[in-house]
Amino acid sequence: MSRVRVLTLNAALGPLDYRVPYGMSAEPGSIVLVPLGPRQLAGVVWEPERMPSDAEVGDNRLRNLVGVYDLPPIADPLRRLIEWTADYYLAPPAAVLRMALASASALDDRRTAIEYRATGVVPDRLTPQRAQALERIGERQGLVRELATIADVSDGVIRGLVKIGAIEAVEVSVDDPYPLPDPEHAPPHLSEAQTAVANVLVNDVDARVFAPTLLDGVTGSGKTEVYFEAVAQALRQGGQTLVLLPEIALTEPFLRRFEGRFGHTPVAWHSGLRQSQRRRAWRAIASGEAKVTVGARSALFLPYRDLQLIVVDEAHETSFKQEDGVHYHARDVAVMRARFEGCPVVLASATPAIETRQQVTLGNYRELKLPGRYGVAQMPEIAAIDLTEDRPERGHWLAPTLVTAIEETLSRGEQALLFLNRRGYAPLTLCRHCGHRFQCPNCTAWMVEHRLLARLQCHHCGHVMAPPKKCPECGEEDSLVACGPGVERIADEVAELFPEARRAIVTSDTLWSPAKAAEFVGRMEAGDIDIVVGTQLVTKGYHFPNLTLVGVVDADLGLQGGDLRAAERSFQQIMQVAGRAGRGTKPGRVLVQTHDPSAPVIAALIAADVEGFYEAETESRRDAGAPPFGRLAAIIVSSEDQREATDVAQRIGKAAPKVEGMEVFGPAPAPLAMLRGRHRMRLLVHARRALDVQDVIRSWLGSQEWPRSVRVAVDVDPYSFV
Ligand code: ADP
Ligand code: ZN
């Protein structure tokens, strides 16, 4: 009799054993359907020795597999990656497997799906909701639920529109092949320095060996052009490439650029895909037909059939760290995946993370440098504006020097970018009369005013409220004042100063879809925008040759609340946004507003002393035993009941094992003491680099019990300290 162990998609369950009925064949990696109680569930057959089960049942109690999917099995390297990820990040293997089988519908082998789209027939009288739905849906199509989400209305509104003929059903094929990118479509003439670097990467792809490389070059040096040569080589070999980007918003410009070089767009994978697109992409990735996939971090666990190259672009970005569910870092897991697959991995960055630089120092990664900007473009000059001397007018945020610089830029017909990493109009609203501050009822956070949307919003849980006419505390009317600036407020100031200038606000509120991002790029390139005010969303990836001035509105912002990477992150962010200036033939200029021009980060930026900054920062990390020289893990205990969270956290704290080379801090209320209605207590584990903290934490927490209403989440190598 043949029995198999199956890892199901249910993260609450361990692996389960099943019988393979006569006539069916299942090997490790096979994707199968299994019975579980009255239901059926997908899973993957695993080697029993690698996936121990504590609920082994006798042969006589085994149930039969329901079936084996007609899909390529999850290959050995991906199974090893799933095990490694689960082990390293202390997550249930099933939770990691779910990221590999990321599209339940992909398993469904029907070749078509039914979607809906607008017919263009617009009835005379529409309810506001129906009108909103049609406007937002535009040219897009999808399931009723997907359209409802896009339109921010209920399913019923969409169904109503179907009934009156404004929306119709269409059958779409989910098996259409993807066009093949052509490596010889439009190759660039690389400079000598670029060629040298590209050759090394091409050789790696050709050799099909694990080779981690840091591709280090200033913004505009041609990193993308260079790693495209490695992609071309993988294409010539018929292999697959994965390019990871830190943000969905960057996908669109990347697709265009890729298309220019290779003649066709790659396959995109991100959370914004419709179900039918996910299904088509997943199946093409699994069959090997999708040659190049570009995606956000979740693309990392897909079942590529023949992966020959991984690129992590903007590899220093902290958004590669997943902050809920499995707390993995996509950059680090990408390197592990390349190792299991036996293929090269390129980490591209103008401002590499200290962790990555340390791997180079240790000799684990190779470093390839691109020395300067491509062509005639020069790196922009960075200067500080001391806000204690060069003061903005009362109630304003732009210093006279910056205003003058904007004026000059506009008079030359060039574009300016003002960067402030704060969405909305103002981060805090209070009552002038009684001092009441508007706080989120579910989180330890202020409600942020969004004037464009006419509402206050919590950036943590999404809670929204209409801006009240009077103070809910003292009842005073028209007493509410906005404190501090967000991008919308800066845009207002710009409008006041330069009423003629055409403005754009770029945040996740305004660029909420790839189409919006494409529209923005189009308007910038056509010169229809003079001044952009944006959050970190505009700091990366864009190439606007006529953009010559960058103003950093508040360089001190990133240094507040100082977690261990605050200085590094500030430095990277300002370098990135500075990198948007002067990318064409015209020189760029960067003005950084600060209250403390002598702060090490600012001083290093002005002196263009990248190496000096990194060295000082690395030394201080080494002294503190902070990552990458020591290890951290956070344990977050949360519950809707504050007492319960505190009690459990204290019990866990008391049970902390005494281990040489390891300290446990806390429990203490997390800085975000309440999040989405749950009270949060935090313990922080600090350990020597060589210590197997995961092992220690596993047995420590394994010996503890807590009620179901309490959640205990472990974050290994944490990036967020809230
Ligand atoms: P990075 O990724 O390092 O920021 P990019 O690859 O985006 O740099 O290059 C910056 C700009 O210079 C892009 O518009 C790119 O097309 C152009 N460029 C870089 N190298 C070349 C080249 N060898 N030939 C033509 N254009 C190039
Ligand atoms: Zn909230």
Side-chain angles (χ1 to χ4, degrees):
M1 177 206 99
S2 158
R3 108 187 242 149
V4 285
R5 181 147 300 168
V6 175
L7 182 59
T8 71
L9 290 180
N10 185 335
L13 295 173
L16 300 170
D17 288 357
Y18 288 91
R19 177 190 294 117
V20 186
Y22 182 75
M24 204 181 270
S25 86
E27 55 185 286
S30 294
I31 305 175
V32 295
L33 189 65
V34 301
L36 188 72
R39 295 181 309 126
Q40 296 186 338
L41 192 64
V44 170
V45 175
W46 224 273
E47 297 89 330
E49 63 279 10
R50 289 180 173 273
M51 200 56 74
S53 167
D54 46 14
E56 274 194 51
V57 296
D59 284 352
N60 55 339
R61 291 181 47 213
L62 285 184
R63 297 179 71 181
N64 279 342
L65 290 180
V66 178
V68 180
Y69 285 97
D70 184 19
L71 287 168
I74 298 297
D76 199 83
L78 180 51
R79 294 206 305 283
R80 303 295 82 86
L81 184 79
I82 291 169
E83 290 159 4
W84 181 87
T85 306
D87 213 51
Y88 188 89
Y89 293 104
L90 296 164
V96 187
L97 178 64
R98 286 165 80 126
M99 301 193 279
L101 299 185
S103 162
S105 63
L107 305 181
D108 174 350
D109 59 9
R110 274 173 308 167
R111 318 238 123 143
T112 60
I114 299 294
E115 293 188 333
Y116 293 84
R117 66 173 178 213
T119 54
V121 177
V122 182
D124 311 337
R125 262 189 308 225
L126 280 177
T127 62
Q129 287 222 306
R130 286 182 174 181
Q132 170 181 330
L134 288 180
E135 200 220 308
R136 291 224 179 178
I137 288 166
E139 307 266 286
R140 283 178 287 181
Q141 69 179 48
L143 306 177
V144 168
R145 191 175 8 93
E146 289 166 343
L147 293 186
T149 308
I150 290 168
D152 200 12
V153 297
S154 70
D155 291 11
V157 173
I158 304 295
R159 290 218 183 79
L161 286 164
V162 174
K163 215 171 269 165
I164 61 172
I167 288 185
E168 65 182 352
V170 277
E171 189 170 313
V172 294
S173 167
V174 294
D175 265 358
D176 284 351
Y178 289 96
L180 213 56
D182 173 9
E184 327 304 340
H185 177 74
H189 290 283
L190 296 182
S191 71
E192 216 170 295
Q194 289 175 333
T195 307
V197 170
N199 285 345
V200 177
L201 299 180
V202 167
N203 284 339
D204 281 350
V205 174
D206 178 46
R208 302 187 194 212
V209 289
F210 172 59
T213 301
L214 166 61
L215 176 55
D216 182 356
V218 298
T219 50
S221 57
K223 294 185 292 299
T224 314
E225 299 295 342
V226 165
Y227 75 65
F228 272 179
E229 291 311 295
V231 176
Q233 180 61 22
L235 281 169
R236 284 180 207 113
Q237 295 173 188
Q240 290 173 292
T241 298
L242 164 63
V243 180
L244 287 179
L245 300 178
E247 214 134 2
I248 304 184
L250 294 176
T251 317
E252 192 58 30
F254 182 89
L255 296 182
R256 298 286 80 80
R257 184 137 177 216
F258 188 94
E259 191 178 16
R261 168 67 179 85
F262 296 103
H264 294 289
T265 54
V267 176
W269 181 272
H270 52 72
S271 58
L273 292 187
R274 317 198 300 266
Q275 197 184 88
S276 64
Q277 293 172 316
R278 281 177 99 71
R279 189 161 133 198
R280 179 174 169 218
W282 192 92
R283 294 177 80 94
I285 285 166
S287 73
E289 179 216 320
K291 293 301 179 203
V292 182
T293 304
V294 53
R297 53 181 185 247
S298 59
L300 188 51
F301 291 95
L302 297 176
Y304 303 94
R305 180 164 214 166
D306 183 15
L307 197 55
Q308 298 195 359
L309 171 67
I310 303 177
V311 177
V312 184
D313 206 346
E314 313 282 6
H316 60 279
E317 281 292 330
T318 49
S319 54
F320 280 120
K321 179 73 196 306
Q322 166 96 14
E323 293 297 355
D324 45 35
V326 183
H327 290 248
Y328 68 98
H329 197 306
R331 175 198 65 210
D332 297 344
V333 180
V335 174
M336 286 314 292
R337 177 137 201 189
R339 191 158 142 188
F340 289 125
E341 299 280 352
C343 75
V345 52
V346 179
L347 309 183
S349 174
T351 50
I354 289 183
E355 281 80 358
T356 306
R357 289 174 56 107
Q358 183 60 15
Q359 292 294 344
V360 172
T361 306
L362 293 174
N364 297 333
Y365 297 178
R366 169 214 290 137
E367 182 178 33
L368 297 175
K369 285 198 178 208
L370 287 171
R373 280 195 162 170
Y374 174 75
V376 296
Q378 291 299 311
M379 284 306 280
E381 187 104 354
I382 303 182
I385 294 178
D386 185 346
L387 291 174
T388 61
E389 286 171 6
D390 195 353
R391 286 171 198 255
E393 278 175 55
R394 227 186 116 74
H396 289 66
W397 317 97
L398 306 179
T401 308
L402 181 53
V403 174
T404 309
I406 298 172
E407 218 166 73
E408 289 164 5
T409 306
L410 297 182
S411 71
R412 284 194 303 267
E414 295 164 8
Q415 296 165 312
L417 163 64
L418 298 176
F419 166 66
L420 176 64
N421 208 16
R422 241 193 214 147
R423 291 158 53 205
Y425 184 82
L428 168 67
T429 304
L430 56 76
C431 170
R432 174 186 306 127
H433 189 243
C434 74
H436 174 74
R437 295 164 170 223
F438 284 81
Q439 196 177 354
C440 174
N442 314 318
C443 307
T444 314
W446 307 125
M447 295 295 287
V448 178
E449 183 184 358
H450 286 250
R451 221 165 253 195
L452 291 177
L453 301 170
R455 63 193 196 189
L456 303 184
Q457 189 183 336
C458 170
H459 285 181
H460 293 285
C461 72
H463 178 77
V464 292
M465 60 190 272
K469 288 262 176 298
K470 55 185 185 186
C471 174
E473 193 66 28
C474 68
E476 187 81 3
E477 286 193 26
D478 293 325
S479 67
L480 305 182
V481 281
C483 297
V487 281
E488 292 178 14
R489 197 170 197 177
I490 300 300
D492 275 6
E493 186 171 337
V494 166
E496 198 181 296
L497 291 163
F498 307 102
E500 308 284 286
R502 293 155 303 172
R503 303 171 308 275
I505 297 177
V506 174
T507 72
S508 52
D509 301 310
T510 58
L511 253 61
W512 40 266
S513 72
K516 288 272 173 195
E519 184 196 325
F520 163 67
V521 172
R523 286 172 58 213
M524 275 302 275
E525 285 172 349
D528 291 342
I529 297 171
D530 301 308
I531 305 178
V532 184
V533 185
T535 58
Q536 48 84 28
L537 208 56
V538 281
T539 62
K540 293 168 287 233
Y542 294 113
H543 178 73
F544 302 126
N546 200 35
L547 198 163
T548 55
L549 174 69
V550 166
V552 177
V553 176
D554 185 353
D556 309 332
L557 192 61
L559 293 170
Q560 289 164 12
D563 66 64
L564 79 104
R565 295 185 183 84
E568 182 190 5
R569 208 152 43 208
S570 267
F571 183 80
Q572 289 165 335
Q573 204 163 56
I574 296 174
M575 286 290 282
Q576 279 295 324
V577 68
R580 295 315 106 200
R583 292 173 72 93
T585 49
K586 301 165 193 159
R589 185 174 176 204
V590 180
L591 293 172
V592 177
Q593 298 197 134
T594 171
H595 286 92
D596 184 8
S598 64
V601 176
I602 310 288
L605 284 163
I606 295 165
D609 185 13
V610 177
E611 282 310 308
F613 174 78
Y614 272 117
E615 268 161 35
E617 198 52 28
T618 306
E619 264 333 287
S620 78
R621 294 261 191 103
R622 194 195 305 273
D623 289 346
F629 304 99
R631 314 192 53 191
L632 292 175
I635 302 174
I636 303 270
V637 180
S638 70
S639 160
E640 286 176 13
D641 183 89
Q642 185 168 13
R643 264 295 290 280
E644 195 177 53
T646 312
D647 287 351
V648 172
Q650 276 169 352
R651 239 184 319 116
I652 290 176
K654 282 214 187 76
K658 303 243 173 315
V659 177
E660 159 97 27
M662 179 180 108
E663 297 164 284
V664 178
F665 302 100
L672 235 130
M674 190 157 98
L675 179 62
R676 295 186 195 97
R678 299 180 72 86
H679 296 270
R680 305 165 75 238
M681 297 290 289
R682 197 179 66 165
L683 295 114
L684 195 60
V685 180
H686 180 203
R688 256 193 290 119
R689 179 137 197 99
L691 191 81
D692 187 345
V693 240
Q694 284 91 343
D695 217 37
V696 174
I697 295 175
R698 205 176 288 118
S699 58
W700 168 15
L701 294 182
S703 70
Q704 299 294 302
E705 280 178 17
W706 48 81
R708 291 172 69 95
S709 49
V710 172
R711 264 206 297 267
V712 177
V714 184
D715 187 358
V716 177
D717 304 341
Y719 275 66
S720 162
F721 292 85
V722 298

